[in-house]
Amino acid sequence: MPHSNGDLPVKQLYINGQWRSPIAEHYRATYDPSNGEGLAMIAQADIEDTRLAIQAARTAFDDGYWANMSPGERSRLLHQIADALEARQDEIAEAEMRDGGCTWRKAYLLDIPVGLIHFRHFAKLADFDPLESVPQITFPALSYNIVRREPIGVCGQIIPWNFPFLMAIWKISPALAAGNTIILKPATFTPLSAIKLVEIIHDTGLLPPGVLNLVTGPGQVVGPELCTNPMVDKIAFTGSTEVGREIMIQAASTIKKVTLELGGKSPNIILDDADMDLAVDGSLWATFMHNGQACESGTRLFVPASIYDEFVPRLIDRAGKLKIGLASDGASDLGPVISAGQLKSIEEYIKLGIEEGATPALLGTRPTDPELQDGNYITPTIFTDVDNSMRIAQEEIFGPVLCVIKYDSEDEAIQLANDTIYGLAAGVWSRDAERALSVAKRIRAGTIWINDYHLINAEAPFGGYKQSGIGRELGTWGLKEYLEVKHIHIPLNNERKGKFWYDIVVPQLED
Ligand code: NAP
Ligand code: MG
């Protein structure tokens, strides 16, 4: 991949409200996967830099100004930040498109506007009532009980490269809404939209120093420090199941709260009464959106034997017509994959699928277009004759590769759909709402789309069953993951003086 780092802009760490260079003065270029062009030199934090950011977040939390601000005031500030982000959304979209190979349409029409809607959602939720009522089931009441939601504290937040802006929003907005302080760690491949996000927030001057810190650098260095440092109260992670497992182990040393959004190998089930036009296009969207580089992608497509011979050729025909091109080209359906390493890994999986006996009904290749020679491009692959036990059907490929699995009965489809270590998402396609719903209920996954895929409502929860994760993002569920529960107990009588309290409590319980 050709690149020269000569005149690239330099992007620093953001610690305690200031942009600062890393102690060791170490920088690394970030590249455009469409053409290999260097985009910026990114500060690489080491353990000492990470500790400074953690200390800043700790101090900002402990001084109480942000954590104890009234919910209404915090909500008002977050709405003002949302205004600033909306005003500069094109800058964010440009960073997203260039740094991560996100197509123009996906960046400008989907990820950035959706991210802003989700930020706004948490700006509204920030104005929540911290008091919760306790159901009274014992009469007369023995005590008066106050239940209060409070922020957890310092949150380390680690995000992946596939949806860099949306994932940054999903992390920082509920954490801020709840009154926590943050150290955000973007992925090495895609730091630019998170940096832009923090630049815009910094320019508003609305957040107290130390509330939001940004630490770019290698996950293997920054991550363990965030996960083991006793000053950090919670780790929120989105990324691979492998790293998620490592994070749980590390966070165990100080019993940190952990939320994890991990991998998936989601089933997409076509029922025999599906609207075929809708389901063919929907299945392509489910799999090939962002080249299959989405944790929830519907990469295992279950097609009933009764419509298989009509459905599959139509799917292959349509997939072959998807336009692959530069991310910046508004006509591109698919852009590049994130890196040369990812491209190689996808090609290895295609080879493996053939060795395992699947049929490459549409075989992905590197395009010959001269304009695409310096980027990481591969056209879609569709495997038929896939058995659900094959590695290509069980492992996350994270590329434009679809496995088609033929089934005879609905029960068989559901059993195979659930035969995976993952449980992030699924799709069901049917004209019969009741039937689709009954299938949806039997799938062990956190999000099930009926006659749709990928689209996410900020008010509904997102997260995984099984090895796809712990906890939920979005909605009130997402906010609660950033809140502790405090119970304050006040007795309703005052007969305690001069007694060892068994004498008053036991008769009271017997009443
Ligand atoms: P990854 O390798 O797990 O990396 C994710 C993040 O973790 C990056 O910021 C990475 O930093 C950091 N990291 C790496 N090693 C670490 C360690 N030992 N301790 C702490 N942090 C560490 O995942 P990825 O390849 O970027 O993303 C693809 C994966 O994310 C897929 O498996 C996908 O399914 C999953 N994903 C899940 C969701 C969801 O919502 N469930 C959403 C998006 C993606 P560096 O970049 O510096 O290595
Ligand atoms: Mg990049």
Side-chain angles (χ1 to χ4, degrees):
M1 200 180 262
H3 50 78
S4 105
N5 300 336
D7 304 319
L8 298 180
V10 173
K11 299 290 179 184
Q12 304 288 24
L13 309 173
Y14 186 69
I15 298 175
N16 206 26
Q18 290 177 337
W19 297 99
R20 50 173 298 162
S21 48
I23 295 165
E25 293 284 344
H26 184 43
Y27 294 85
R28 180 189 194 282
T30 188
Y31 300 101
D32 182 340
S34 278
N35 53 21
E37 193 186 321
L39 298 172
M41 296 301 290
I42 308 296
Q44 298 295 293
D46 62 15
I47 290 174
E48 290 307 316
D49 299 299
T50 309
R51 284 186 183 148
L52 288 178
I54 294 170
Q55 183 62 62
R58 187 75 256 167
T59 305
F61 186 78
D62 290 345
D63 87 8
Y65 175 75
W66 179 247
N68 297 329
M69 184 180 278
S70 77
E73 178 63 4
R74 219 163 30 224
S75 171
R76 196 180 63 77
L77 292 184
L78 293 178
H79 277 296
Q80 284 179 269
I81 289 175
D83 293 341
L85 293 171
E86 271 164 27
R88 293 174 63 183
Q89 58 182 292
D90 284 1
E91 291 173 48
I92 308 172
E94 184 71 13
E96 192 79 338
M97 181 180 80
R98 302 228 41 210
D99 204 16
C102 180
T103 59
W104 184 94
R105 274 146 74 205
K106 181 170 171 288
Y108 280 82
L109 307 182
L110 191 69
D111 288 9
I112 309 312
V114 167
L116 295 176
I117 290 168
H118 291 186
F119 188 91
R120 195 69 87 175
H121 163 77
F122 283 109
K124 280 187 204 138
L125 276 192
D127 192 7
F128 65 97
D129 181 355
L131 296 180
E132 290 187 11
S133 58
V134 180
Q136 191 72 54
I137 50 172
T138 309
F139 293 97
L142 302 178
S143 53
Y144 180 60
N145 304 85
I146 299 169
V147 171
R148 232 180 91 76
R149 294 272 179 179
E150 296 182 350
I152 291 174
V154 173
C155 301
Q157 304 189 312
I158 303 171
I159 54 174
W161 47 259
N162 56 350
F163 291 81
F165 179 70
L166 201 59
M167 293 301 104
I169 291 290
W170 284 20
K171 293 288 177 279
I172 71 162
S173 41
L176 291 174
N180 298 279
T181 60
I182 296 169
I183 304 106
L184 177 68
K185 207 303 273 177
T188 294
F189 283 129
T190 54
L192 287 185
S193 57
I195 294 172
K196 182 60 74 181
L197 172 68
V198 175
E199 282 174 356
I200 297 171
I201 294 176
H202 172 78
D203 290 350
T204 67
L206 291 170
L207 287 186
V211 167
L212 175 62
N213 304 277
L214 176 79
V215 174
T216 44
Q220 285 172 1
V221 175
V222 175
E225 184 58 30
L226 289 175
C227 294
T228 54
N229 191 306
M231 285 194 282
V232 177
D233 299 295
K234 170 177 170 135
I235 295 290
F237 171 77
T238 296
S240 60
T241 295
E242 195 187 344
V243 174
R245 195 172 290 120
E246 186 57 32
I247 282 176
M248 272 185 98
I249 292 168
Q250 291 180 1
S253 64
T254 49
I255 316 290
K256 291 192 202 320
K257 307 271 177 294
V258 176
T259 44
L260 304 171
E261 298 288 354
L262 308 175
K265 192 77 188 177
S266 300
N268 193 25
I269 305 174
I270 312 298
L271 299 184
D272 56 16
D273 64 351
D275 175 332
M276 206 171 296
D277 293 331
L278 185 69
V280 166
D281 287 337
S283 303
L284 289 176
W285 167 249
T287 317
F288 297 121
M289 190 269 293
H290 200 34
N291 271 314
Q293 301 173 116
C295 47
E296 76 279 5
S297 294
T299 44
R300 289 182 298 144
L301 181 66
F302 291 91
V303 182
S306 56
I307 60 168
Y308 190 91
D309 290 343
E310 191 184 349
F311 190 94
V312 174
R314 283 173 66 173
L315 183 80
I316 291 166
D317 178 56
R318 290 276 292 113
K321 289 180 179 146
L322 292 175
K323 178 174 161 35
I324 187 158
L326 295 171
S328 56
D329 182 345
S332 296
D333 296 310
L334 307 183
V337 298
I338 188 68
S339 64
Q342 187 69 13
L343 178 58
K344 195 156 163 276
S345 163
I346 294 163
E347 287 176 330
E348 278 163 12
Y349 269 110
I350 294 172
K351 199 163 144 264
L352 173 70
I354 295 167
E355 283 162 15
E356 287 184 300
T359 304
L362 183 67
L363 182 61
T365 55
R366 297 189 186 204
T368 50
D369 183 343
E371 197 179 37
L372 306 182
Q373 295 316 299
D374 292 330
N376 314 310
Y377 297 91
I378 184 159
T379 61
T381 293
I382 297 182
F383 277 119
T384 53
D385 302 316
V386 176
D387 186 287
N388 193 57
S389 64
M390 290 177 181
R391 280 183 57 199
I392 54 164
Q394 289 292 324
E395 296 175 17
E396 196 173 36
I397 299 175
F398 236 55
V401 180
L402 175 61
C403 293
V404 182
I405 301 169
K406 194 195 278 190
Y407 72 87
D408 290 314
S409 72
E410 215 168 277
D411 280 349
E412 183 196 0
I414 291 165
Q415 186 264 322
L416 291 172
N418 284 329
D419 187 5
T420 163
I421 61 165
Y422 296 113
L424 189 58
V428 184
W429 301 81
S430 170
R431 284 194 171 94
D432 180 340
E434 210 173 313
R435 193 176 163 207
L437 211 51
S438 87
V439 173
K441 285 181 190 164
R442 293 173 67 194
I443 304 294
R444 306 243 324 127
T447 298
I448 319 283
W449 284 279
I450 293 177
N451 296 331
D452 207 345
Y453 214 94
H454 288 307
L455 300 184
I456 284 170
N457 179 343
E459 282 151 19
F462 183 83
Y465 281 34
K466 302 195 271 183
Q467 294 187 37
S468 288
I470 298 177
R472 291 293 178 273
E473 302 200 89
L474 301 179
T476 52
W477 298 268
L479 184 70
K480 283 185 178 166
E481 301 283 2
Y482 286 93
L483 289 164
E484 279 282 16
V485 181
K486 177 175 283 174
H487 166 210
I488 302 172
H489 170 106
I490 305 165
L492 282 179
N493 60 48
N494 203 8
E495 298 160 2
R496 285 148 164 77
K497 282 183 195 160
K499 294 174 181 157
F500 192 57
W501 290 0
Y502 288 133
D503 302 339
I504 51 140
V505 174
V506 175
Q508 210 178 46
L509 292 175
E510 284 171 351
D511 277 350

